[in-house]
Amino acid sequence: MGRAAGIGLGLLALVGAGFAAWTLYSVTRTPPPAATTGTPETGMADLPTIEAVLASVQQFVKDENFAAAEKVLSESVRRFPEDQDLRLAFGDFLMGLQRWQDAYDQYAAAIQAGPVPARVQFAAGTLANMAQRPELAAEHYRKAMEIDAGVVEYPMYLAAVQMKMNRLNEAKASLALAARIDESRADIWGMFAQVALNENKQVIAEQQIAKARALEPDEPAWVLMDARIRKRDGRPQEALDLISALSQTTIDQPETLELLSECYGMLGRPGEAASRYMDASERNPQNAELAFQAALWLERAGERGEAIAWAKRAAMLGSQPARKWLEANPGTGERP
């Protein structure tokens, strides 16, 4: 869905930066507590400050000794279960490993320990969404909005999970709040267009995507959504014209090729859809799916012999659907 989906962009950017988030803790966390000392009752030796714990974990992460880092963090939160900095640090570490549910659990524990800034509620919501728990995500986004009503991303991300749950009226209300904060954000109007498209309101969808394109005319996501809307409205040639103006790299993306081929299919031109897939396959010779889609469209165009050749090519590249297609179609010759 490109940027129109809205959800997860900020978190995914953080995850994509690897464990660089650790550097934030050295400058943003609250001052560390005084050194904690064990007692005869606990049998523990003197324990380091929490600041020292985080510093040691940073070094483990730098050395890519993630098992040791996790062990230190796990033991530390066991000893200091109410410390929010430790919980958030552990959550960020698990986020870097893409262990969304475990990371969310640490954020939830930090929130349970006491008041947190809106950004922590927001991060918890995004982690919950990544863990496929949209109801929880929506709850955290609402709390973030209660703490800070001026951040446009909070209602936008709330709208995205509401769309995910097919609560379209709620999503529209959230997007209206976002637009009141910053109507210059093209992705708000792109999301409005997606909601209208989900409701099969093509006229409204076209009006909303026009606003997004006016704000970001070079953004391929909005061009593709515009094309999708026109295809849904029974105007496949207009959709084709829009897609054809995009870069070849964008056209070769699976979602774009699928949309392009559907338009050709609506126009009764399956051979041109096959040609697009064949060309893309030549540019990406290790992509089995492109070769198999070329085979399927060649078959629709009545080019059975060539379809078989392309299916064999896809099967040799590892496509199981291509293998099954070849086995199910007589006259294909040897099994790949």
Side-chain angles (χ1 to χ4, degrees):
M1 293 173 61
R3 286 174 47 192
I7 195 69
L9 298 179
L11 178 64
L12 289 177
L14 177 59
V15 172
F19 290 98
W22 278 98
T23 60
L24 297 177
Y25 271 92
S26 65
V27 294
T28 63
R29 69 183 301 275
T30 54
T36 306
T37 304
T39 65
E41 289 76 20
T42 65
M44 295 181 186
D46 286 353
L47 297 176
T49 64
I50 292 172
E51 185 75 12
V53 169
L54 295 179
S56 69
V57 171
Q58 283 185 338
Q59 187 60 50
F60 282 132
V61 168
K62 183 178 179 181
D63 296 338
E64 298 188 2
N65 190 348
F66 302 136
E70 182 170 0
K71 183 177 180 180
V72 169
L73 283 166
S74 180
E75 179 65 14
S76 296
V77 298
R78 186 184 70 79
R79 290 173 172 171
F80 308 112
E82 300 301 313
D83 188 276
Q84 289 180 318
D85 285 321
L86 276 177
R87 290 288 189 178
L88 295 175
F90 199 6
D92 282 354
F93 172 82
L94 295 166
M95 185 199 315
L97 298 176
Q98 298 187 23
R99 287 165 53 182
W100 311 122
Q101 181 60 55
D102 291 340
Y104 171 77
D105 290 343
Q106 294 302 321
Y107 263 75
I111 291 168
Q112 186 66 29
V116 295
R119 58 183 170 77
V120 173
Q121 290 285 0
F122 175 66
T126 305
L127 284 167
N129 182 64
M130 298 297 287
Q132 303 304 314
R133 302 181 69 180
E135 291 279 3
L136 267 178
E139 180 181 337
H140 285 293
Y141 291 146
R142 289 190 191 96
K143 288 179 180 176
M145 291 167 62
E146 291 172 6
I147 298 168
D148 189 345
V151 180
V152 69
E153 283 80 11
Y154 300 166
M156 286 177 63
Y157 277 53
L158 175 59
V161 293
Q162 289 166 334
M163 290 168 65
K164 189 175 183 178
M165 294 184 288
N166 202 36
R167 298 178 181 173
L168 301 184
N169 286 333
E170 293 178 23
K172 286 187 284 189
S174 298
L175 288 171
L177 286 174
R180 282 202 281 275
I181 297 170
D182 185 359
E183 64 180 10
S184 70
R185 288 285 295 263
D187 35 3
I188 294 174
W189 307 108
M191 292 175 72
F192 262 129
Q194 185 63 58
V195 170
L197 193 59
N198 291 352
E199 294 177 324
N200 288 315
K201 296 177 179 177
Q202 283 84 263
V203 173
I204 295 175
E206 194 165 353
Q207 292 169 348
Q208 302 289 19
I209 201 59
K211 295 178 183 178
R213 292 192 65 191
L215 289 165
E216 293 181 352
D218 297 326
E219 174 54 55
W222 312 141
V223 178
L224 288 171
M225 184 172 291
D226 196 353
R228 197 170 291 113
I229 293 165
R230 293 173 195 243
K231 190 205 80 165
R232 178 83 66 86
D233 199 40
R235 294 178 281 162
Q237 186 58 58
E238 291 181 23
L240 280 175
D241 293 341
L242 287 171
I243 298 168
S244 297
L246 294 170
S247 70
Q248 193 62 60
T249 301
T250 302
I251 292 174
D252 282 351
Q253 294 299 310
E255 297 84 359
T256 310
L257 282 169
E258 182 180 6
L259 178 59
L260 197 68
S261 61
E262 288 171 352
C263 291
Y264 281 124
M266 290 174 67
L267 292 166
R269 293 150 56 184
E272 293 184 58
S275 294
R276 290 282 194 167
Y277 272 111
M278 288 188 288
D279 290 344
S281 181
E282 294 292 352
R283 286 186 289 271
N284 301 273
Q286 299 305 312
N287 190 313
E289 179 61 21
L290 292 176
F292 183 49
Q293 288 298 323
L296 294 178
W297 281 100
L298 282 164
E299 184 186 35
R300 294 180 187 126
E303 301 290 343
R304 184 165 179 76
E306 201 168 355
I308 290 169
W310 277 87
K312 287 182 177 180
R313 176 174 176 172
M316 290 177 64
L317 290 169
S319 170
Q320 291 304 313
R323 288 179 180 274
K324 291 179 181 178
W325 185 88
L326 287 165
E327 291 171 2
N329 284 271
T332 57
E334 295 183 12
R335 290 188 181 184

